[in-house]
Amino acid sequence: MSCFGGKMHSYKFLSIDRFDGNNLDSSAYFLSHCHTDHMVGLDKHEFASKLKNHNLVKVYMSEVTKILLLSDPKYLHLKPHICVLPIEQPKIVKIFEGKTIHEVTITLFSAGHCPGSVMFLFEGNDGTCLYTGDFRLPKGSATRMKHLHSGSSKKLIHHLYVDTTFCIPDANFIPEREICLQKLINLVKNWISKGKNHIVRLNLSAKYGYEYLYQALYETFNTKIYCARAGNYKCLPDVAEVLTTDPTHSQIYACFKKERVKEKDWSQWEATNDEIVPNKQLKFLSVTLSTLYFTHAALPKDVQIRISETSFRLCFSFHSSLSEVCDFVRHVQPLSVHANVIPRVGESFSSVEQRLRNLCGLKNREKINSADEMKEALMMRFSFHQSGDSKPDIFWRLICSSLKSFISSCATMFYVLSKFPETHV
Ligand SMILES: [Zn+2]
């Protein structure tokens, strides 16, 4: 569940994945994907008024996110204000803040979390910032992201805002989705082969993110998946064609928690307080997809756990494991890292960020390529430490200013000294 407030430490004139509170002052908005914890305020009257009164203010997103968003009638009024950005093609975007025009180069990367989900890379006068949104990417992915690199070297990322959903030691390993899929295929095959009245019911929670499973199950068993939300996919034909809204035409049901009660009118179901119970003619195998259930003992052999004769839990995650996040952060080597998610109750952002810094060795940057980068690195670290809610007084400002000059001179001196032996031996 995202806890990101919407504003980064730089580029304060834009907001990401939040559309309420002080974000209503922003001059541009970015939506990483269509999950409700990233859409707070997006459907509210205040945000609609903001857009109506400032016609240069736009909401940027990927093409697929736009399609999914506008499939819900409550967001249709946003259509004239949406700007689609391409994936992995840097675009210079002009953002109008009063009389000031900011030019920011923005690059989208696929985040592998759900259809349309992206990361945003911002480059411009306020530095280079990467916001991952939610992501699930295999190890080595950052290495292949061309626009995180400049030629053969990595770009210097000043601030990284990262999905820390599973940044806990218990979630160091989460099986890859292909492994989970194969287990699911085996469960489905064994059950539906017993007869036409044998149904597999997938218990799901998030609105989007299971499309990969629907398509794979359709291809394997040549049967459409029953999904009451199939209408959401009208604009995504590849997904829509593998789904049906008629439960009598399928032996695989995709069910969402809230819908189990709503759909009590089905002739073959009887409703109880919080769940639908099938009648006696149908024999159900219940498969609940979750991650948290497994994180305390996530080993390859634990991909599925049998709860009873007709009930299984299957490990499935659209968020990266701790080791996958660390692999990503280690490659990016940002000057500062910020957690987007508090992974467990009672933790603080600073403890999650400290864990990441320790695991990823962020205190020891591998390489600084130039005197300017070294200066920049030290200045950013220094300005980060002095940022906060309380404004420094004049005396403190003078000290800060002197220290900044001192650090800048030292950085240049260190760089020159470090190069001296190479050039004169
Ligand atoms: Zn999400």
Side-chain angles (χ1 to χ4, degrees), residues 69-105:
L69 185 72
L70 297 181
S71 70
D72 186 337
K74 75 178 175 183
Y75 296 111
L76 272 178
H77 64 284
L78 297 176
K79 192 174 179 181
H81 310 282
I82 293 175
C83 273
V84 165
L85 292 174
I87 309 282
E88 300 224 18
Q89 290 176 42
K91 290 284 170 200
I92 297 172
V93 170
K94 284 185 180 173
I95 298 173
F96 299 85
E97 185 190 26
K99 289 180 180 170
T100 310
I101 303 173
H102 302 277
E103 287 201 351
V104 187
T105 302

Side-chain angles (χ1 to χ4, degrees), residues 204-224:
L204 312 175
S205 49
K207 189 173 182 183
Y208 296 109
Y210 307 101
E211 300 73 15
Y212 156 78
L213 293 182
Y214 303 152
Q215 288 171 305
L217 289 171
Y218 172 76
E219 281 163 23
T220 306
F221 298 105
N222 197 27
T223 177
K224 291 192 177 192

Side-chain angles (χ1 to χ4, degrees), residues 27-41:
S27 304
Y29 295 88
F30 294 81
L31 175 64
S32 67
H33 65 290
C34 286
H35 278 161
T36 49
D37 54 326
H38 294 256
M39 302 163 78
V40 177

Side-chain angles (χ1 to χ4, degrees), residues 38-312:
H38 294 256
M39 302 163 78
V40 177
L42 191 60
D43 60 339
K44 294 287 182 276
H45 170 71
E46 290 82 355
F47 187 60
S49 298
K50 160 86 190 189
L51 296 179
K52 198 176 165 190
N53 296 329
H54 300 83
N55 59 3
L56 293 175
V57 173
K58 302 292 177 195
V59 189
Y60 298 89
M61 61 190 75
S62 69
E63 176 75 42
V64 174
T65 295
K66 179 186 174 186
I67 289 170
L68 292 174
L69 185 72
L70 297 181
S71 70
D72 186 337
K74 75 178 175 183
Y75 296 111
L76 272 178
H77 64 284
L78 297 176
K79 192 174 179 181
H81 310 282
I82 293 175
C83 273
V84 165
L85 292 174
I87 309 282
E88 300 224 18
Q89 290 176 42
K91 290 284 170 200
I92 297 172
V93 170
K94 284 185 180 173
I95 298 173
F96 299 85
E97 185 190 26
K99 289 180 180 170
T100 310
I101 303 173
H102 302 277
E103 287 201 351
V104 187
T105 302
I106 297 164
T107 310
L108 275 57
F109 300 99
S110 291
H113 172 68
C114 70
S117 64
V118 290
M119 302 180 177
F120 294 109
L121 177 69
F122 301 91
E123 296 171 274
N125 290 339
D126 278 12
T128 304
C129 301
L130 178 63
Y131 172 86
T132 69
D134 290 343
F135 76 98
R136 177 90 204 256
L137 294 175
K139 289 180 184 176
S141 297
T143 322
R144 294 187 287 274
M145 291 177 172
K146 182 180 156 196
H147 297 288
L148 288 183
H149 302 81
S150 184
S152 58
S153 58
K154 297 175 199 173
K155 285 181 182 171
L156 178 66
I157 305 291
H158 297 103
H159 293 284
L160 170 67
Y161 299 82
V162 66
D163 175 10
T164 43
T165 302
F166 291 123
C167 277
I168 46 175
D170 285 352
N172 194 47
F173 170 80
I174 296 174
E176 288 168 14
R177 278 182 285 202
E178 286 70 20
I179 296 172
C180 306
L181 170 65
Q182 200 48 55
K183 292 281 183 188
L184 179 60
I185 286 174
N186 292 342
L187 283 174
V188 173
K189 187 189 287 176
N190 289 340
W191 191 254
I192 67 174
S193 63
K194 294 173 191 283
K196 286 283 178 196
N197 63 338
H198 282 65
I199 308 287
V200 174
R201 190 181 75 194
L202 305 176
N203 300 318
L204 312 175
S205 49
K207 189 173 182 183
Y208 296 109
Y210 307 101
E211 300 73 15
Y212 156 78
L213 293 182
Y214 303 152
Q215 288 171 305
L217 289 171
Y218 172 76
E219 281 163 23
T220 306
F221 298 105
N222 197 27
T223 177
K224 291 192 177 192
I225 317 302
Y226 164 72
C227 179
R229 297 180 176 185
N232 289 356
Y233 295 102
K234 271 182 193 157
C235 300
L236 292 181
D238 288 353
V239 183
E241 73 177 8
V242 309
L243 301 176
T244 174
T245 49
D246 182 351
T248 61
H249 283 175
S250 180
Q251 282 182 269
I252 306 169
Y253 291 6
C255 295
F256 296 83
K257 269 182 195 166
K258 288 176 187 168
E259 286 164 0
R260 288 181 218 161
V261 179
K262 281 184 194 166
E263 310 241 344
K264 59 189 173 189
D265 295 334
W266 295 351
S267 56
Q268 73 270 45
W269 299 94
E270 294 164 15
T272 64
N273 284 339
D274 57 358
E275 196 175 357
I276 300 290
V277 177
N279 73 15
K280 288 179 181 136
Q281 289 166 356
L282 296 175
K283 300 205 179 296
F284 277 78
L285 178 74
S286 170
V287 181
T288 302
L289 273 63
S290 59
T291 318
L292 279 175
Y293 186 85
F294 291 86
T295 50
H296 64 287
L299 296 171
K301 65 180 175 58
D302 298 318
V303 176
Q304 72 181 41
I305 291 178
R306 185 184 187 142
I307 307 297
S308 72
E309 282 293 311
T310 57
S311 177
F312 282 84

